[in-house]
Protein backbone atom coordinates (compact mmCIF):
# COMPACT_ATOMS: atom_id res chain seq x y z
CA UNK A 1 0.00 0.00 0.00
CA UNK A 2 1.32 3.44 -0.88
CA UNK A 3 1.87 6.07 1.80
CA UNK A 4 -0.97 8.22 0.48
CA UNK A 5 -3.37 5.27 0.32
CA UNK A 6 -2.47 4.41 3.91
CA UNK A 7 -3.33 7.93 5.05
CA UNK A 8 -6.54 8.14 3.05
CA UNK A 9 -7.78 4.73 4.20
CA UNK A 10 -6.87 5.20 7.86
CA UNK A 11 -9.68 5.67 10.34
CA UNK A 12 -7.56 7.89 12.59
CA UNK A 13 -4.55 9.84 11.37
CA UNK A 14 -2.20 11.50 13.84
CA UNK A 15 0.08 14.42 13.01
CA UNK A 16 3.35 14.75 14.95
CA UNK A 17 5.32 17.98 14.60
CA UNK A 18 8.91 17.94 15.87
CA UNK A 19 10.74 21.00 17.12
CA UNK A 20 13.18 23.09 15.15
CA UNK A 21 12.57 26.76 15.91
CA UNK A 22 12.08 28.84 12.74
CA UNK A 23 12.73 25.80 10.58
CA UNK A 24 9.30 24.58 11.62
CA UNK A 25 8.02 26.82 8.82
CA UNK A 26 8.73 23.69 6.73
CA UNK A 27 5.67 22.21 8.45
CA UNK A 28 3.38 24.91 7.05
CA UNK A 29 3.75 23.55 3.53
CA UNK A 30 3.35 19.98 4.75
CA UNK A 31 0.05 20.83 6.45
CA UNK A 32 -1.21 22.56 3.32
CA UNK A 33 -0.18 19.72 0.99
CA UNK A 34 -1.78 17.07 3.21
CA UNK A 35 -5.04 19.03 3.22
CA UNK A 36 -4.95 19.32 -0.58
CA UNK A 37 -4.45 15.56 -0.87
CA UNK A 38 -7.48 14.82 1.26
CA UNK A 39 -5.71 13.72 4.45
CA UNK A 40 -7.67 14.64 7.57
CA UNK A 41 -6.06 14.39 11.02
CA UNK A 42 -7.83 13.08 14.09
CA UNK A 43 -5.30 14.51 16.54
CA UNK A 44 -2.07 16.50 16.65
CA UNK A 45 1.07 16.22 18.77
CA UNK A 46 3.61 19.01 19.03
CA UNK A 47 7.10 19.47 20.37
CA UNK A 48 8.89 22.77 20.97
CA UNK A 49 8.23 25.17 18.07
CA UNK A 50 6.25 22.45 16.30
CA UNK A 51 3.67 22.68 19.09
CA UNK A 52 2.34 25.97 17.67
CA UNK A 53 1.59 24.24 14.37
CA UNK A 54 -0.01 21.34 16.23
CA UNK A 55 -2.16 23.83 18.13
CA UNK A 56 -3.33 25.46 14.91
CA UNK A 57 -4.25 22.07 13.42
CA UNK A 58 -6.13 21.05 16.56
CA UNK A 59 -7.96 24.37 16.69
CA UNK A 60 -9.02 23.84 13.06
CA UNK A 61 -7.22 27.05 12.10
CA UNK A 62 -4.97 25.62 9.37
CA UNK A 63 -6.27 28.16 6.88
CA UNK A 64 -4.82 30.93 9.04
CA UNK A 65 -1.43 29.36 9.66
CA UNK A 66 0.43 31.76 7.37
CA UNK A 67 -1.21 34.74 9.00
CA UNK A 68 -0.19 33.31 12.39
CA UNK A 69 3.46 32.97 11.42
CA UNK A 70 3.64 36.32 9.64
CA UNK A 71 2.05 38.10 12.60
CA UNK A 72 4.53 36.51 14.98
CA UNK A 73 7.57 37.30 12.83
CA UNK A 74 6.48 40.91 12.29
CA UNK A 75 6.70 41.82 15.98
CA UNK A 76 10.05 42.95 17.46
CA UNK A 77 11.56 40.11 19.47
CA UNK A 78 14.14 42.10 21.44
CA UNK A 79 13.36 44.95 23.81
CA UNK A 80 15.64 45.91 26.70
CA UNK A 81 12.58 47.02 28.67
CA UNK A 82 11.65 43.35 28.89
CA UNK A 83 14.51 42.94 31.36
CA UNK A 84 12.15 44.47 33.91
CA UNK A 85 9.38 41.99 33.04
CA UNK A 86 10.93 38.63 32.12
CA UNK A 87 14.54 39.40 33.11
CA UNK A 88 15.52 38.84 29.50
CA UNK A 89 15.82 41.14 26.46
CA UNK A 90 14.00 38.54 24.35
CA UNK A 91 10.23 38.97 24.20
CA UNK A 92 9.28 35.53 22.90
CA UNK A 93 6.90 34.79 25.76
CA UNK A 94 4.95 37.96 25.06
CA UNK A 95 5.03 37.39 21.30
CA UNK A 96 3.66 33.88 21.66
CA UNK A 97 1.01 35.02 24.11
CA UNK A 98 -0.20 37.79 21.82
CA UNK A 99 -0.29 35.60 18.70
CA UNK A 100 -1.88 32.62 20.46
CA UNK A 101 -4.61 34.75 22.03
CA UNK A 102 -5.36 36.43 18.72
CA UNK A 103 -5.53 33.36 16.47
CA UNK A 104 -6.47 30.47 18.78
CA UNK A 105 -7.55 31.45 22.28
CA UNK A 106 -7.07 29.65 25.57
CA UNK A 107 -10.45 27.91 25.55
CA UNK A 108 -10.45 26.77 21.94
CA UNK A 109 -9.28 23.22 22.66
CA UNK A 110 -12.29 22.56 24.89
CA UNK A 111 -14.74 23.30 22.07
CA UNK A 112 -16.58 20.27 20.59
CA UNK A 113 -15.13 20.69 17.09
CA UNK A 114 -11.50 20.99 18.25
CA UNK A 115 -9.14 18.05 17.81
CA UNK A 116 -7.14 16.58 20.69
CA UNK A 117 -3.70 18.16 20.92
CA UNK A 118 -0.88 16.64 22.94
CA UNK A 119 2.35 18.41 23.88
CA UNK A 120 5.68 16.82 24.73
CA UNK A 121 7.63 18.47 27.58
CA UNK A 122 10.63 17.64 29.75
CA UNK A 123 10.20 17.62 33.52
CA UNK A 124 12.99 19.54 35.22
CA UNK A 125 12.89 17.48 38.39
CA UNK A 126 14.16 14.30 36.75
CA UNK A 127 14.50 14.99 33.02
CA UNK A 128 11.61 12.66 32.21
CA UNK A 129 9.41 13.10 29.19
CA UNK A 130 5.78 13.93 29.89
CA UNK A 131 3.06 14.30 27.27
CA UNK A 132 0.08 16.43 28.29
CA UNK A 133 -3.34 16.65 26.71
CA UNK A 134 -3.91 20.39 26.32
CA UNK A 135 -7.58 19.88 27.19
CA UNK A 136 -6.59 18.72 30.68
CA UNK A 137 -4.53 21.73 31.73
CA UNK A 138 -5.92 24.99 33.07
CA UNK A 139 -3.85 27.17 30.76
CA UNK A 140 -2.81 25.55 27.45
CA UNK A 141 -0.64 28.55 26.63
CA UNK A 142 1.59 27.72 29.59
CA UNK A 143 1.92 24.19 28.25
CA UNK A 144 2.94 25.45 24.83
CA UNK A 145 5.42 27.87 26.38
CA UNK A 146 6.83 25.02 28.47
CA UNK A 147 7.72 22.87 25.46
CA UNK A 148 9.47 25.92 23.98
CA UNK A 149 11.31 26.87 27.17
CA UNK A 150 14.99 27.28 26.37
CA UNK A 151 17.23 29.79 28.20
CA UNK A 152 18.22 32.56 27.62
CA UNK A 153 15.24 33.20 25.34
CA UNK A 154 12.95 32.27 28.22
CA UNK A 155 13.87 32.79 31.84
CA UNK A 156 10.87 31.82 34.00
CA UNK A 157 10.18 28.11 34.04
CA UNK A 158 6.52 27.36 33.22
CA UNK A 159 4.63 25.57 35.98
CA UNK A 160 2.00 22.95 35.17
CA UNK A 161 0.17 21.16 37.97
CA UNK A 162 2.83 22.21 40.46
CA UNK A 163 5.82 21.00 38.40
CA UNK A 164 8.21 22.94 36.19
CA UNK A 165 8.80 21.84 32.61
CA UNK A 166 11.03 22.74 29.69
CA UNK A 167 11.70 22.03 26.02
CA UNK A 168 10.14 18.73 24.98
CA UNK A 169 12.71 18.06 22.28
CA UNK A 170 15.28 17.13 24.91
CA UNK A 171 13.33 14.07 26.05
CA UNK A 172 11.20 13.19 22.98
CA UNK A 173 11.29 15.22 19.79
CA UNK A 174 9.18 12.75 17.76
CA UNK A 175 6.59 11.10 20.05
CA UNK A 176 4.78 9.14 17.35
CA UNK A 177 4.21 6.29 19.82
CA UNK A 178 1.71 8.51 21.63
CA UNK A 179 -0.40 8.84 18.47
CA UNK A 180 -0.45 5.06 18.06
CA UNK A 181 -1.38 4.63 21.71
CA UNK A 182 -4.30 7.01 21.15
CA UNK A 183 -5.72 4.68 18.51
CA UNK A 184 -4.27 6.14 15.31
CA UNK A 185 -3.77 3.59 12.55
CA UNK A 186 -1.57 5.99 10.56
CA UNK A 187 0.81 8.70 11.73
CA UNK A 188 2.62 11.49 9.89
CA UNK A 189 5.83 12.65 11.56
CA UNK A 190 7.09 16.01 10.27
CA UNK A 191 10.65 16.84 11.22
CA UNK A 192 13.36 19.10 9.84
CA UNK A 193 16.44 16.87 9.97
CA UNK A 194 17.46 15.96 6.43
CA UNK A 195 17.41 12.38 5.19
CA UNK A 196 21.07 12.55 4.18
CA UNK A 197 21.96 13.46 7.79
CA UNK A 198 20.90 10.05 9.09
CA UNK A 199 18.02 8.97 11.30
CA UNK A 200 15.63 11.21 13.20
CA UNK A 201 16.66 13.23 16.22
CA UNK A 202 14.46 11.51 18.77
CA UNK A 203 15.90 12.69 22.07
CA UNK A 204 19.19 13.46 23.79
CA UNK A 205 21.36 10.39 23.21
CA UNK A 206 19.19 9.08 20.35
CA UNK A 207 20.29 11.24 17.45
CA UNK A 208 19.75 8.78 14.60
CA UNK A 209 16.45 7.14 15.43
CA UNK A 210 15.02 4.81 12.78
CA UNK A 211 11.25 4.44 12.48
CA UNK A 212 10.35 0.84 11.62
CA UNK A 213 6.59 0.85 12.13
CA UNK A 214 4.92 0.76 8.67
CA UNK A 215 2.03 2.84 10.00
CA UNK A 216 4.35 5.83 10.48
CA UNK A 217 5.19 8.06 7.53
CA UNK A 218 8.05 10.52 7.96
CA UNK A 219 8.07 13.74 5.96
CA UNK A 220 11.35 15.65 6.13
CA UNK A 221 13.81 17.46 3.88
CA UNK A 222 16.25 15.64 1.63
CA UNK A 223 19.27 17.36 3.17
CA UNK A 224 20.24 19.69 5.98
CA UNK A 225 18.32 22.87 5.38
CA UNK A 226 20.22 26.08 4.51
CA UNK A 227 17.95 28.08 6.80
CA UNK A 228 18.89 29.43 10.21
CA UNK A 229 17.08 28.27 13.35
CA UNK A 230 16.72 31.96 14.23
CA UNK A 231 15.52 33.17 10.82
CA UNK A 232 12.77 35.79 11.17
CA UNK A 233 12.33 37.12 7.63
CA UNK A 234 8.99 35.90 6.32
CA UNK A 235 10.06 35.98 2.67
CA UNK A 236 12.79 33.46 3.56
CA UNK A 237 10.51 31.28 5.67
CA UNK A 238 7.92 31.33 2.89
CA UNK A 239 10.49 29.63 0.65
CA UNK A 240 11.04 27.02 3.37
CA UNK A 241 7.30 26.38 3.65
CA UNK A 242 7.15 25.82 -0.10
CA UNK A 243 9.90 23.23 0.19
CA UNK A 244 7.76 21.47 2.81
CA UNK A 245 4.82 21.52 0.41
CA UNK A 246 6.83 20.06 -2.47
CA UNK A 247 8.57 17.51 -0.26
CA UNK A 248 5.19 16.19 0.88
CA UNK A 249 4.14 15.71 -2.74
CA UNK A 250 7.40 13.91 -3.45
CA UNK A 251 6.95 11.46 -0.60
CA UNK A 252 3.25 10.81 -1.14
CA UNK A 253 2.96 11.13 -4.92
CA UNK A 254 6.45 10.21 -6.11
CA UNK A 255 7.13 13.60 -7.71
CA UNK A 256 10.59 15.15 -7.98
CA UNK A 257 11.14 18.90 -7.58
CA UNK A 258 14.49 20.61 -8.00
CA UNK A 259 13.65 23.03 -5.16
CA UNK A 260 13.82 20.24 -2.58
CA UNK A 261 17.41 19.35 -3.45
CA UNK A 262 18.83 22.40 -1.66
CA UNK A 263 21.34 21.66 1.08
CA UNK A 264 23.45 23.50 3.60
CA UNK A 265 27.21 23.46 3.17
CA UNK A 266 29.38 21.44 5.52
CA UNK A 267 28.54 19.52 8.65
CA UNK A 268 25.80 20.53 11.08
CA UNK A 269 27.28 22.28 14.16
CA UNK A 270 25.46 19.86 16.49
CA UNK A 271 26.82 16.82 14.64
CA UNK A 272 30.33 18.27 14.67
CA UNK A 273 30.10 18.90 18.43
CA UNK A 274 28.98 15.30 19.09
CA UNK A 275 31.78 13.93 16.93
CA UNK A 276 34.37 15.97 18.82
CA UNK A 277 32.94 14.91 22.18
CA UNK A 278 33.03 11.23 21.17
CA UNK A 279 36.68 11.64 20.23
CA UNK A 280 37.80 13.23 23.50
CA UNK A 281 35.53 11.46 26.02
CA UNK A 282 36.16 7.77 26.76
CA UNK A 283 33.25 5.50 25.80
CA UNK A 284 33.19 4.09 29.34
CA UNK A 285 32.07 7.43 30.76
Amino acid sequence: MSALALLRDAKRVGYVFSGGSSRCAFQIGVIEALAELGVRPALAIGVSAGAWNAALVAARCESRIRFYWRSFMRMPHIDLRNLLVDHSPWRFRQLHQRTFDRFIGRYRFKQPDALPVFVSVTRFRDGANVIFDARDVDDPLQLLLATNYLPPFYTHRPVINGETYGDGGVSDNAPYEKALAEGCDAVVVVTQKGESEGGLFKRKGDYDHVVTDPRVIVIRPRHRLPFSFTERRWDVLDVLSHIGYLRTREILLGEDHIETHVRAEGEAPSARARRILRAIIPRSL
Side-chain angles (χ1 to χ4, degrees):
M1 179 183 293
S2 69
L4 181 56
L6 173 67
L7 295 175
R8 285 176 170 171
D9 294 344
K11 293 181 174 62
R12 284 175 61 82
V13 177
Y15 286 1
V16 179
F17 300 102
S18 296
S21 193
S22 294
R23 288 185 181 178
C24 288
F26 176 87
Q27 300 170 358
I28 298 172
V30 176
I31 292 169
E32 293 173 340
L34 289 170
E36 280 188 11
L37 294 172
V39 180
R40 300 291 181 263
L43 61 83
I45 301 174
V47 187
S48 195
W52 305 107
N53 290 331
L56 284 159
V57 168
R60 314 302 289 270
C61 296
E62 299 99 317
S63 63
R64 305 186 72 192
I65 190 168
R66 290 179 175 272
F67 297 105
Y68 190 103
W69 273 74
R70 291 180 68 176
S71 176
F72 180 85
M73 293 300 174
R74 196 162 47 232
M75 293 182 284
H77 64 290
I78 292 180
D79 187 340
L80 293 179
R81 292 173 296 180
N82 197 50
L83 289 167
L84 301 175
V85 180
D86 290 323
H87 307 110
S88 168
W90 285 280
R91 302 175 61 245
F92 287 113
R93 181 192 63 79
Q94 295 179 44
L95 267 60
H96 281 304
Q97 178 176 332
R98 185 178 305 176
T99 314
F100 180 83
D101 288 345
R102 176 183 178 186
F103 289 90
I104 298 178
R106 305 187 187 217
Y107 304 103
R108 181 69 184 91
F109 303 130
K110 297 184 183 295
Q111 299 302 311
D113 63 330
L115 301 179
V117 57
F118 299 91
V119 179
S120 170
V121 293
T122 302
R123 188 165 56 205
F124 275 110
R125 173 167 52 86
D126 55 6
N129 178 253
V130 180
I131 298 179
F132 283 100
D133 185 333
R135 297 170 299 181
D136 295 336
V137 299
D138 294 333
D139 187 352
L141 176 61
Q142 282 297 109
L143 176 59
L144 292 164
L145 289 172
T147 193
N148 282 270
Y149 178 86
L150 190 66
F153 305 108
Y154 303 87
T155 51
H156 298 163
R157 293 181 176 183
V159 179
I160 304 168
N161 299 338
E163 291 266 11
T164 57
Y165 295 89
D167 195 293
V170 175
S171 56
D172 198 341
N173 194 46
Y176 59 86
E177 300 91 343
K178 176 62 176 176
L180 296 171
E182 290 294 322
C184 291
D185 48 347
V187 180
V188 178
V189 177
V190 190
T191 186
Q192 288 66 248
K193 183 181 178 183
E195 288 183 351
S196 64
E197 296 182 89
L200 304 184
F201 169 65
K202 177 70 167 165
R203 61 174 60 88
K204 183 179 179 181
D206 187 1
Y207 302 107
D208 290 295
H209 181 80
V210 177
V211 178
T212 58
D213 195 311
R215 297 170 294 176
V216 181
I217 297 168
V218 179
I219 299 178
R220 57 175 174 151
R222 291 179 180 272
H223 308 292
R224 184 163 70 90
L225 291 166
F227 298 88
S228 169
F229 283 101
T230 58
E231 179 61 65
R232 292 186 54 80
R233 293 169 296 176
W234 172 250
D235 58 331
V236 176
L237 295 178
D238 187 32
V239 173
L240 177 54
S241 74
H242 186 59
I243 292 174
Y245 174 86
L246 295 177
R247 190 71 184 120
T248 304
R249 295 186 63 88
E250 289 182 335
I251 292 171
L252 298 183
L253 297 176
E255 298 176 352
D256 188 2
H257 298 275
I258 189 63
E259 296 94 330
T260 68
H261 290 258
V262 298
R263 65 189 306 163
E265 296 293 332
E267 186 180 25
S270 58
R272 183 164 59 250
R274 290 197 301 272
R275 178 170 52 78
I276 294 173
L277 286 173
R278 284 196 295 267
I280 63 177
I281 299 177
R283 293 183 179 271
S284 58
L285 294 181

